[in-house]
Amino acid sequence: MNPQPSVLVIDDESGILDTLRILLKKEGYEVATAQGGKAGLDAIRGGSPDIVLTDVRMPQFTGLDILQAVKEQDVMTPVILMTAQASLQSAIQAVNAGAFYYLQKPFANDELLAILRRACEFRQIRVENKQLKQEIRKGSGGSPLAGPTRPIGKSRRFLDILKLADVVAPTDSTVLLEGESGTGKEVLAHYIHDASLRNNGPFMSINCGALPETLLESELFGHVKGSFTGAVRDKQGLFAAARGGTFFLDEVGEMPPSLQVKLLRVLQQREVIPVGATEVLPVDVRIIAATNRNLEEEVQRGNFRSDLFYRLNVIAIELPPLRERRDDLILLIDRFLQDLAGEHGEPKALAAEAMDAVMVYKWPGNVRELQNALEHACVMCRGSLIDASHLPERITRRKRDPLVAEKAEPNPTLDLVERAYIMFVLQAEGGNKTRAAEALGIDPSTLYRKLSRYEGTEVK
Ligand SMILES: Nc1ncnc2c1ncn2[C@@H]1O[C@H](COP(=O)(O)OP(=O)(O)OP(=O)(O)O)[C@@H](O)[C@H]1O
Ligand SMILES: [Mg+2]
């Protein structure tokens, strides 16, 4: 976005346009105004404002028409709706259609300016993410100078992980990656390899839980001809094949005890003995291991050798589950929707209700589950806006409630209204609870309490 974000203000009353123009100009925005819906639509088609601020009730074309036109042109542009006749019904409709915020007239200047600042941030993140994506595309021509593709994330915890990965990458230290399934352990292993001095060598991996013991043994360490039935020629093991590069031992917790001893030898002596061989072979690999089990507990249970654990656990990096770093969600969603749109297609966007569902869902399958859910949604959705019905049902089961219940219920209870509004603000804040609490004027702990109450209940 340019240093002076541009705002297009649309209203049918010229007095309001004048007031807002003066206010926003004073705050450093580049302001364009359009009187009425028709002029608004023309202005949108003629330029590309960073943010659109529009009245809802206007003759001929309404704020919702404006909203739709903006989304068709650029889904990243935040649209703020303002209305004097705010009804919950229309607020819900607007948010469902992808509005960034629904502002009730009259409003305080500070309130509007705070929302505009948030809209700028929101747009900035999205635009940066798109640019990053384009740079990665440009750099992905197989050039060794392209540098490692950064795993996506902006949460504090995730950035700390990348920092740690950057520090350990150029060393030859063994790294243990721990985390639930789908949290990105393999992605990070690749990142470390790409950022290491071994990045011209191979990256090889094996899933220790996927092969029967004897096969795993000969895959890892190799064998000599005749060492067992079927060993018709010498076979080089993966430790030898990965020479000069990185070897990724996935699901290391699944390794059978007899092979744990052999692996310990690799780590301690940096050598392997192929099955049936008498000579040792030197090993020149950097080892990265991953597990979604708690290895320390496995050691206590006697399933995993403690000496091996300590050898692997030189540098441990824990990948937190996605539900504990919701700040990363927006970036990941953007990236995946762009990937799904392909090189030249326009990415689909999540409507507010679908976004709500995604924001509060627990994501037990982590990033992989998110990726799959979005793919599912893109297949189900023919238009450009993904709504909740396009998402897999398990994701919307709980979350469908407030807004849908709202539509069906002409006289909603205060509780229901509060709940819908909280979800709305949370969505507008990109899932950031601290900022949402601030916008709602309540203590973050109160918001957490309310959210956990909602997650536990279903509104019929
Ligand atoms: N930070 C991230 N940025 C981009 N994509 C990611 C990120 N984390 C995970 N993914 C994607 O999510 C999927 C799962 O990631 P990955 O295979 O690395 O998980 P894992 O922790 O190894 O899971 P498992 O324990 O089930 O093997 C992959 O398709 C990967 O590309
Ligand atoms: Mg994996």
Side-chain angles (χ1 to χ4, degrees):
M1 196 153 37
N2 25 14
Q4 259 199 330
S6 60
V7 184
L8 172 64
V9 188
I10 308 168
D11 203 303
D12 53 344
E13 284 179 47
S14 61
I16 291 192
L17 291 179
D18 292 342
T19 316
L20 289 176
R21 186 192 302 112
I22 293 163
L23 172 70
L24 299 186
K25 274 221 164 114
K26 219 170 76 194
E27 287 297 313
Y29 291 95
E30 196 186 299
V31 188
T33 55
Q35 190 168 5
K38 172 78 178 65
L41 286 176
D42 292 342
I44 287 160
R45 289 182 188 129
S48 40
D50 292 321
I51 299 167
V52 176
L53 180 62
T54 178
D55 189 23
V56 176
R57 296 226 179 153
M58 293 180 289
Q60 207 179 355
F61 296 104
T62 71
L64 291 176
D65 297 320
I66 301 280
L67 173 62
Q68 197 185 351
V70 173
K71 293 285 145 185
E72 273 166 19
Q73 189 162 308
D74 180 358
V75 286
M76 293 187 202
T77 310
V79 178
I80 300 162
L81 298 170
M82 347 172 248
T83 184
Q85 301 94 350
S87 79
L88 192 64
Q89 211 67 33
S90 47
I92 288 161
Q93 205 184 348
V95 175
N96 276 346
F100 181 76
Y101 210 91
Y102 196 85
L103 195 58
Q104 184 162 4
K105 287 182 189 170
F107 44 79
N109 289 351
D110 284 352
E111 193 184 355
L112 172 64
L113 294 175
I115 291 161
L116 279 172
R117 272 196 297 275
R118 271 183 248 136
C120 287
E121 279 171 30
F122 177 81
R123 187 177 156 93
Q124 187 71 22
I125 290 171
R126 298 200 141 207
V127 169
E128 273 170 11
N129 199 25
K130 192 167 182 179
Q131 283 164 352
L132 181 73
K133 166 83 181 168
Q134 280 161 352
E135 273 162 30
I136 289 167
R137 265 192 200 147
K138 267 190 251 152
S140 64
S143 150
L145 298 174
T149 303
R150 279 180 97 74
I152 304 165
K154 71 173 182 85
S155 63
R156 194 64 271 145
R157 287 179 80 179
F158 198 77
L159 294 179
D160 285 348
I161 286 170
L162 285 187
K163 226 187 281 167
L164 180 56
D166 284 332
V167 172
V168 301
T171 72
D172 254 353
S173 300
T174 302
V175 179
L176 179 64
L177 304 177
E178 298 172 292
E180 290 178 13
S181 184
T183 45
K185 298 185 291 296
E186 190 163 348
V187 173
L188 195 66
H190 276 282
Y191 177 75
I192 293 173
H193 170 73
D194 289 346
S196 78
L197 305 174
R198 294 173 167 271
N199 61 8
N200 281 324
F203 177 94
M204 295 207 162
S205 69
I206 199 163
N207 183 328
C208 302
L211 294 175
E213 185 169 337
T214 50
L215 207 54
L216 180 63
E217 180 173 14
S218 88
E219 282 295 317
L220 284 174
F221 306 104
H223 62 244
V224 294
K225 181 178 162 186
S227 55
F228 55 87
T229 324
V232 290
R233 60 178 72 86
D234 283 2
K235 179 186 160 81
Q236 180 179 236
L238 289 172
F239 275 115
R243 189 178 320 104
T246 304
F247 192 53
F248 179 51
L249 279 167
D250 206 356
E251 315 269 2
V252 74
E254 307 290 325
M255 192 168 251
S258 68
L259 299 189
Q260 290 179 23
V261 189
K262 286 196 133 195
L263 178 59
L264 186 63
R265 180 181 191 101
V266 173
L267 289 164
Q268 273 175 344
Q269 271 110 8
R270 296 277 152 188
E271 58 189 29
V272 285
I273 309 177
V275 180
T278 48
E279 306 263 299
V280 297
L281 291 176
V283 164
D284 171 23
V285 294
R286 191 286 172 79
I287 292 175
I288 303 180
T291 177
N292 51 29
R293 294 192 188 181
N294 183 330
L295 275 194
E296 222 163 347
E297 270 174 36
E298 295 299 312
V299 169
Q300 272 156 21
R301 289 203 194 104
N303 297 333
F304 202 82
R305 294 182 64 105
S306 61
D307 44 9
L308 178 57
F309 172 66
Y310 291 118
R311 282 280 166 183
L312 288 173
N313 196 30
V314 180
I315 312 272
I317 304 184
E318 194 193 331
L319 280 136
L322 190 53
R323 63 184 165 280
E324 288 177 17
R325 48 184 170 109
R326 289 184 187 267
D327 283 4
D328 293 340
L329 263 169
I330 298 269
L331 282 186
L332 286 163
I333 290 169
D334 255 17
R335 161 59 65 88
F336 293 149
L337 288 176
Q338 283 178 29
D339 285 347
L340 286 160
E343 190 82 21
H344 305 291
E346 237 338 276
K348 297 181 197 252
L350 287 177
E353 198 190 343
M355 187 61 107
D356 278 354
V358 163
M359 283 295 168
V360 301
Y361 182 63
K362 294 236 193 281
W363 299 109
N366 296 296
V367 185
R368 182 182 293 110
E369 185 183 12
L370 174 69
Q371 204 171 15
N372 292 341
L374 292 174
E375 187 177 344
H376 173 108
C378 284
V379 171
M380 303 304 284
C381 166
R382 286 169 172 265
S384 58
L385 208 57
I386 295 168
D387 64 43
S389 68
H390 299 128
L391 289 167
E393 208 241 328
R394 65 177 185 286
I395 292 160
T396 48
R397 204 175 295 147
R398 286 198 177 149
K399 253 310 292 131
R400 200 188 305 130
D401 36 23
L403 299 178
V404 165
E406 219 45 68
K407 276 182 205 146
E409 176 58 72
N411 296 309
T413 60
L414 187 58
D415 206 35
L416 211 54
V417 174
E418 179 188 279
R419 180 171 173 169
Y421 186 64
I422 286 177
M423 289 308 178
F424 165 47
V425 173
L426 191 60
Q427 183 262 333
E429 295 296 348
N432 184 320
K433 290 179 190 152
T434 315
R435 285 212 307 260
E438 206 180 306
L440 289 161
I442 58 176
D443 199 70
S445 62
T446 310
L447 179 61
Y448 280 105
R449 194 161 31 76
K450 285 180 187 293
L451 289 174
S452 62
R453 183 159 59 84
Y454 300 158
E455 283 181 30
T457 56
E458 302 238 1
V459 174
K460 295 275 153 17

Short mmCIF file of all heavy atoms in Angstrom, two decimals, residues 212-249:
data_model
loop_
_atom_site.label_atom_id
_atom_site.label_comp_id
_atom_site.label_asym_id
_atom_site.label_seq_id
_atom_site.Cartn_x
_atom_site.Cartn_y
_atom_site.Cartn_z
N PRO A 212 8.24 -52.43 7.64
CA PRO A 212 8.54 -53.47 8.60
C PRO A 212 10.04 -53.44 8.97
O PRO A 212 10.85 -52.94 8.18
CB PRO A 212 8.19 -54.77 7.86
CG PRO A 212 7.89 -54.40 6.47
CD PRO A 212 7.79 -52.92 6.35
N GLU A 213 10.33 -53.96 10.15
CA GLU A 213 11.67 -53.80 10.72
C GLU A 213 12.83 -54.16 9.78
O GLU A 213 13.77 -53.40 9.60
CB GLU A 213 11.74 -54.64 12.00
CG GLU A 213 13.02 -54.46 12.75
CD GLU A 213 12.95 -55.09 14.14
OE1 GLU A 213 11.84 -55.25 14.67
OE2 GLU A 213 14.02 -55.41 14.67
N THR A 214 12.75 -55.34 9.15
CA THR A 214 13.89 -55.78 8.32
C THR A 214 14.09 -54.89 7.11
O THR A 214 15.21 -54.59 6.72
CB THR A 214 13.71 -57.24 7.84
OG1 THR A 214 12.40 -57.35 7.26
CG2 THR A 214 13.87 -58.23 8.97
N LEU A 215 12.99 -54.49 6.54
CA LEU A 215 13.08 -53.61 5.37
C LEU A 215 13.64 -52.24 5.76
O LEU A 215 14.49 -51.68 5.06
CB LEU A 215 11.67 -53.45 4.78
CG LEU A 215 11.59 -53.14 3.30
CD1 LEU A 215 12.37 -54.19 2.51
CD2 LEU A 215 10.13 -53.13 2.84
N LEU A 216 13.16 -51.74 6.87
CA LEU A 216 13.63 -50.45 7.36
C LEU A 216 15.14 -50.51 7.59
O LEU A 216 15.88 -49.61 7.20
CB LEU A 216 12.91 -50.09 8.67
CG LEU A 216 13.31 -48.76 9.32
CD1 LEU A 216 12.96 -47.60 8.40
CD2 LEU A 216 12.60 -48.57 10.66
N GLU A 217 15.57 -51.63 8.16
CA GLU A 217 16.99 -51.78 8.45
C GLU A 217 17.82 -51.71 7.17
O GLU A 217 18.81 -50.98 7.08
CB GLU A 217 17.23 -53.12 9.16
CG GLU A 217 18.69 -53.33 9.50
CD GLU A 217 18.93 -54.57 10.36
OE1 GLU A 217 17.99 -55.39 10.47
OE2 GLU A 217 20.04 -54.69 10.89
N SER A 218 17.40 -52.47 6.14
CA SER A 218 18.23 -52.46 4.94
C SER A 218 18.09 -51.15 4.17
O SER A 218 19.02 -50.72 3.51
CB SER A 218 17.95 -53.70 4.07
OG SER A 218 16.90 -53.44 3.18
N GLU A 219 16.93 -50.50 4.28
CA GLU A 219 16.79 -49.19 3.65
C GLU A 219 17.75 -48.17 4.29
O GLU A 219 18.41 -47.41 3.59
CB GLU A 219 15.36 -48.65 3.81
CG GLU A 219 14.34 -49.26 2.87
CD GLU A 219 14.60 -48.94 1.41
OE1 GLU A 219 14.94 -47.77 1.12
OE2 GLU A 219 14.49 -49.84 0.56
N LEU A 220 17.80 -48.20 5.61
CA LEU A 220 18.61 -47.21 6.30
C LEU A 220 20.10 -47.49 6.16
O LEU A 220 20.88 -46.59 5.85
CB LEU A 220 18.28 -47.20 7.79
CG LEU A 220 16.98 -46.54 8.23
CD1 LEU A 220 16.76 -46.76 9.72
CD2 LEU A 220 17.04 -45.04 7.94
N PHE A 221 20.46 -48.75 6.41
CA PHE A 221 21.89 -49.05 6.54
C PHE A 221 22.47 -49.74 5.32
O PHE A 221 23.67 -49.89 5.19
CB PHE A 221 22.13 -49.89 7.80
CG PHE A 221 21.54 -49.25 9.03
CD1 PHE A 221 20.35 -49.73 9.60
CD2 PHE A 221 22.15 -48.15 9.61
CE1 PHE A 221 19.80 -49.11 10.72
CE2 PHE A 221 21.59 -47.54 10.73
CZ PHE A 221 20.41 -48.01 11.28
N GLY A 222 21.62 -50.21 4.42
CA GLY A 222 22.08 -50.95 3.24
C GLY A 222 22.35 -52.42 3.59
O GLY A 222 22.22 -52.82 4.76
N HIS A 223 22.66 -53.22 2.61
CA HIS A 223 23.00 -54.61 2.87
C HIS A 223 23.98 -55.11 1.82
O HIS A 223 24.16 -54.48 0.78
CB HIS A 223 21.75 -55.49 2.92
CG HIS A 223 20.97 -55.54 1.63
ND1 HIS A 223 19.69 -55.06 1.51
CD2 HIS A 223 21.32 -56.00 0.40
CE1 HIS A 223 19.28 -55.22 0.27
NE2 HIS A 223 20.24 -55.79 -0.43
N VAL A 224 24.62 -56.25 2.13
CA VAL A 224 25.50 -56.84 1.11
C VAL A 224 24.78 -58.03 0.48
O VAL A 224 23.90 -58.65 1.11
CB VAL A 224 26.88 -57.24 1.68
CG1 VAL A 224 27.65 -56.02 2.12
CG2 VAL A 224 26.73 -58.23 2.82
N LYS A 225 25.15 -58.29 -0.73
CA LYS A 225 24.57 -59.38 -1.50
C LYS A 225 24.60 -60.68 -0.68
O LYS A 225 25.61 -61.01 -0.04
CB LYS A 225 25.45 -59.54 -2.77
CG LYS A 225 25.01 -60.59 -3.72
CD LYS A 225 25.96 -60.55 -4.93
CE LYS A 225 25.86 -61.85 -5.71
NZ LYS A 225 26.85 -61.92 -6.79
N GLY A 226 23.49 -61.38 -0.66
CA GLY A 226 23.42 -62.68 0.01
C GLY A 226 23.22 -62.61 1.51
O GLY A 226 23.17 -63.63 2.20
N SER A 227 23.07 -61.38 2.05
CA SER A 227 22.94 -61.29 3.51
C SER A 227 21.59 -61.80 3.99
O SER A 227 21.42 -62.15 5.16
CB SER A 227 23.19 -59.86 3.98
OG SER A 227 22.31 -58.98 3.30
N PHE A 228 20.60 -61.82 3.14
CA PHE A 228 19.30 -62.45 3.47
C PHE A 228 18.64 -62.85 2.17
O PHE A 228 19.04 -62.39 1.08
CB PHE A 228 18.41 -61.56 4.33
CG PHE A 228 18.15 -60.20 3.75
CD1 PHE A 228 17.11 -59.98 2.86
CD2 PHE A 228 18.95 -59.11 4.10
CE1 PHE A 228 16.87 -58.72 2.32
CE2 PHE A 228 18.72 -57.84 3.56
CZ PHE A 228 17.67 -57.66 2.67
N THR A 229 17.61 -63.71 2.24
CA THR A 229 16.93 -64.16 1.04
C THR A 229 16.41 -62.94 0.29
O THR A 229 15.76 -62.09 0.88
CB THR A 229 15.71 -65.04 1.41
OG1 THR A 229 16.07 -65.79 2.56
CG2 THR A 229 15.30 -65.95 0.28
N GLY A 230 16.72 -62.87 -0.97
CA GLY A 230 16.24 -61.71 -1.74
C GLY A 230 17.30 -60.64 -1.89
O GLY A 230 17.14 -59.75 -2.72
N ALA A 231 18.38 -60.73 -1.10
CA ALA A 231 19.44 -59.72 -1.24
C ALA A 231 20.37 -60.16 -2.37
O ALA A 231 21.43 -60.74 -2.14
CB ALA A 231 20.19 -59.54 0.07
N VAL A 232 19.91 -59.88 -3.60
CA VAL A 232 20.66 -60.43 -4.75
C VAL A 232 21.85 -59.56 -5.14
O VAL A 232 22.71 -59.99 -5.90
CB VAL A 232 19.74 -60.65 -5.99
CG1 VAL A 232 18.76 -61.80 -5.74
CG2 VAL A 232 18.98 -59.38 -6.32
N ARG A 233 21.88 -58.36 -4.67
CA ARG A 233 23.07 -57.54 -4.91
C ARG A 233 23.29 -56.59 -3.74
O ARG A 233 22.38 -56.43 -2.90
CB ARG A 233 22.96 -56.77 -6.22
CG ARG A 233 21.78 -55.81 -6.31
CD ARG A 233 21.81 -55.06 -7.63
NE ARG A 233 21.46 -55.94 -8.74
CZ ARG A 233 20.20 -56.19 -9.13
NH1 ARG A 233 19.19 -55.61 -8.53
NH2 ARG A 233 19.95 -57.00 -10.13
N ASP A 234 24.43 -55.98 -3.72
CA ASP A 234 24.71 -55.01 -2.65
C ASP A 234 23.74 -53.84 -2.77
O ASP A 234 23.37 -53.46 -3.87
CB ASP A 234 26.13 -54.43 -2.81
CG ASP A 234 27.21 -55.42 -2.35
OD1 ASP A 234 26.84 -56.55 -1.95
OD2 ASP A 234 28.40 -55.06 -2.42
N LYS A 235 23.33 -53.32 -1.66
CA LYS A 235 22.45 -52.15 -1.71
C LYS A 235 22.99 -51.07 -0.79
O LYS A 235 23.33 -51.33 0.37
CB LYS A 235 21.03 -52.54 -1.27
CG LYS A 235 20.05 -51.38 -1.27
CD LYS A 235 18.72 -51.84 -0.68
CE LYS A 235 17.91 -50.66 -0.20
NZ LYS A 235 17.19 -49.96 -1.24
N GLN A 236 23.06 -49.89 -1.34
CA GLN A 236 23.53 -48.77 -0.55
C GLN A 236 22.37 -48.29 0.34
O GLN A 236 21.25 -48.13 -0.14
CB GLN A 236 23.95 -47.66 -1.51
CG GLN A 236 24.45 -46.43 -0.81
CD GLN A 236 24.89 -45.35 -1.79
OE1 GLN A 236 26.02 -44.88 -1.73
NE2 GLN A 236 23.99 -44.92 -2.64
N GLY A 237 22.64 -48.06 1.61
CA GLY A 237 21.58 -47.56 2.49
C GLY A 237 21.40 -46.05 2.34
O GLY A 237 22.21 -45.37 1.71
N LEU A 238 20.30 -45.55 2.89
CA LEU A 238 20.01 -44.12 2.76
C LEU A 238 21.01 -43.22 3.49
O LEU A 238 21.28 -42.11 3.06
CB LEU A 238 18.59 -43.82 3.26
CG LEU A 238 17.48 -44.35 2.36
CD1 LEU A 238 16.12 -44.17 3.03
CD2 LEU A 238 17.48 -43.64 1.01
N PHE A 239 21.56 -43.74 4.60
CA PHE A 239 22.56 -42.91 5.30
C PHE A 239 23.75 -42.64 4.38
O PHE A 239 24.31 -41.56 4.37
CB PHE A 239 23.04 -43.61 6.57
CG PHE A 239 22.14 -43.36 7.74
CD1 PHE A 239 21.43 -44.41 8.33
CD2 PHE A 239 22.00 -42.08 8.26
CE1 PHE A 239 20.58 -44.17 9.39
CE2 PHE A 239 21.15 -41.85 9.34
CZ PHE A 239 20.45 -42.89 9.91
N ALA A 240 24.12 -43.67 3.60
CA ALA A 240 25.24 -43.49 2.67
C ALA A 240 24.81 -42.63 1.49
O ALA A 240 25.55 -41.74 1.05
CB ALA A 240 25.73 -44.85 2.19
N ALA A 241 23.59 -42.85 1.02
CA ALA A 241 23.12 -42.11 -0.17
C ALA A 241 22.97 -40.61 0.12
O ALA A 241 23.07 -39.80 -0.79
CB ALA A 241 21.80 -42.69 -0.66
N ALA A 242 22.68 -40.28 1.36
CA ALA A 242 22.46 -38.86 1.71
C ALA A 242 23.77 -38.13 1.98
O ALA A 242 23.75 -36.98 2.44
CB ALA A 242 21.54 -38.78 2.93
N ARG A 243 24.86 -38.78 1.71
CA ARG A 243 26.20 -38.23 1.94
C ARG A 243 26.30 -36.76 1.51
O ARG A 243 25.88 -36.40 0.41
CB ARG A 243 27.17 -39.08 1.10
CG ARG A 243 28.62 -38.89 1.29
CD ARG A 243 29.46 -39.85 0.42
NE ARG A 243 28.95 -41.23 0.28
CZ ARG A 243 28.32 -41.71 -0.81
NH1 ARG A 243 28.08 -40.96 -1.84
NH2 ARG A 243 27.93 -42.98 -0.86
N GLY A 244 26.81 -35.95 2.39
CA GLY A 244 26.96 -34.53 2.04
C GLY A 244 25.69 -33.72 2.22
O GLY A 244 25.68 -32.50 2.05
N GLY A 245 24.61 -34.38 2.57
CA GLY A 245 23.32 -33.67 2.69
C GLY A 245 22.69 -33.87 4.06
O GLY A 245 23.38 -34.01 5.08
N THR A 246 21.38 -33.89 4.06
CA THR A 246 20.61 -34.00 5.30
C THR A 246 19.75 -35.25 5.26
O THR A 246 19.19 -35.58 4.21
CB THR A 246 19.67 -32.77 5.43
OG1 THR A 246 20.47 -31.58 5.35
CG2 THR A 246 18.91 -32.78 6.75
N PHE A 247 19.66 -35.92 6.39
CA PHE A 247 18.80 -37.10 6.44
C PHE A 247 17.70 -36.86 7.47
O PHE A 247 17.96 -36.54 8.62
CB PHE A 247 19.62 -38.34 6.80
CG PHE A 247 18.84 -39.61 6.58
CD1 PHE A 247 18.24 -39.86 5.35
CD2 PHE A 247 18.70 -40.55 7.59
CE1 PHE A 247 17.49 -41.02 5.14
CE2 PHE A 247 17.97 -41.70 7.38
CZ PHE A 247 17.36 -41.94 6.15
N PHE A 248 16.46 -36.96 6.99
CA PHE A 248 15.31 -36.67 7.84
C PHE A 248 14.66 -37.98 8.29
O PHE A 248 14.13 -38.72 7.47
CB PHE A 248 14.31 -35.81 7.04
CG PHE A 248 13.06 -35.45 7.80
CD1 PHE A 248 13.11 -34.89 9.07
CD2 PHE A 248 11.80 -35.65 7.22
CE1 PHE A 248 11.95 -34.54 9.76
CE2 PHE A 248 10.64 -35.30 7.91
CZ PHE A 248 10.72 -34.75 9.18
N LEU A 249 14.75 -38.22 9.58
CA LEU A 249 14.16 -39.44 10.15
C LEU A 249 12.78 -39.08 10.71
O LEU A 249 12.67 -38.54 11.81
CB LEU A 249 15.01 -39.94 11.31
CG LEU A 249 16.25 -40.74 10.97
CD1 LEU A 249 17.14 -40.86 12.20
CD2 LEU A 249 15.86 -42.13 10.47
#
